[in-house]
Amino acid sequence: MPETAPPEKSNTAPSFWKRRVVSPIVHQLTQGITPEKIALTLAVGSACALFPILGTTTFLCLIVGIVLKLNQPIIQIVNGVCVPIHLPAILGCVRMGQWLFREPRTYLHIRYMNQMFWDDPSLFFHRFGVIALHASAAWALLLPVWIPLVYFIFLPVLRELDRMRAAAAAAKATAVRPPLPPPA
């Protein structure tokens, strides 16, 4: 059997995406978590991470993860990855909620809302509470589409990652194993 040289190690550092997102998920696959469970965690975690009330997603991901017995590190990673699209998602849910409930469009100015929240919380909740409820209703209507869509997009990718990880582990095990002694 011909001997092969060990693969050369790259001197480049892994990218942020690989280090902070891909590697933890692959690590979970090595601990026996199935690709199906990770895909469910990604789907539900991304849905919770886009909940249209600012400052609630970490707690929501924690509670939903505990109730559904999902992987907490992965669900919180997904929550962090979704931060850049959270504000546009909130605005989309607000607009969809206004359309669903036939509400007039409300001008949402972050600085004004922040000042009102700290100066007069009761006025803030009176003025924006209904908008938040309507946005939450719109978000809830999107969940039956969002969760299966994300699940079925990531499931084949995760199955392939698991297959590649298993093949690499099998190749490593056969490469390390010493040759059998000749029969006596």
Side-chain angles (χ1 to χ4, degrees):
M1 179 189 274
E3 290 185 32
T4 59
E8 293 183 25
K9 292 189 177 185
S10 173
N11 289 337
T12 61
S15 69
F16 175 83
W17 180 257
K18 182 170 173 66
R19 195 175 61 246
R20 297 288 185 196
V21 177
V22 175
S23 293
I25 291 172
V26 171
H27 179 69
Q28 292 301 314
L29 286 169
T30 63
Q31 293 183 354
I33 297 175
T34 66
E36 292 78 12
K37 192 72 167 184
I38 293 176
L40 181 63
T41 304
L42 294 173
V44 172
S46 64
C48 292
L50 299 177
F51 184 67
I53 298 178
L54 207 57
T56 61
T57 60
T58 301
F59 185 69
L60 182 62
C61 285
L62 175 71
I63 296 303
V64 170
I66 290 170
V67 169
L68 297 178
K69 295 180 175 40
L70 300 175
N71 184 281
Q72 284 297 326
I74 292 176
I75 204 168
Q76 294 302 336
I77 288 171
V78 169
N79 186 28
V81 167
C82 288
V83 165
I85 60 173
H86 192 211
L87 284 177
I90 290 173
L91 184 60
C93 287
V94 165
R95 296 296 181 230
M96 185 177 167
Q98 289 172 341
W99 177 78
L100 283 172
F101 293 96
R102 310 274 189 242
E103 292 282 327
R105 281 192 122 182
T106 304
Y107 179 69
L108 301 173
H109 190 276
I110 300 295
R111 190 174 294 148
Y112 170 70
M113 292 172 68
N114 185 38
Q115 182 181 354
M116 184 186 291
F117 178 77
W118 293 108
D119 292 346
D120 190 355
S122 64
L123 179 62
F124 173 83
F125 286 111
H126 176 73
R127 179 119 190 248
F128 297 109
V130 173
I131 294 172
L133 286 174
H134 292 170
S136 298
W139 171 81
L141 287 173
L142 293 172
L143 291 183
V145 174
W146 180 263
I147 292 174
L149 180 70
V150 172
Y151 179 83
F152 287 116
I153 286 173
F154 279 101
L155 186 58
V157 173
L158 292 166
R159 283 182 175 158
E160 181 62 19
L161 270 174
D162 191 38
R163 188 197 62 74
M164 289 170 35
R165 181 208 47 84
K172 185 177 179 182
T174 57
V176 172
R177 201 176 306 155
L180 295 173

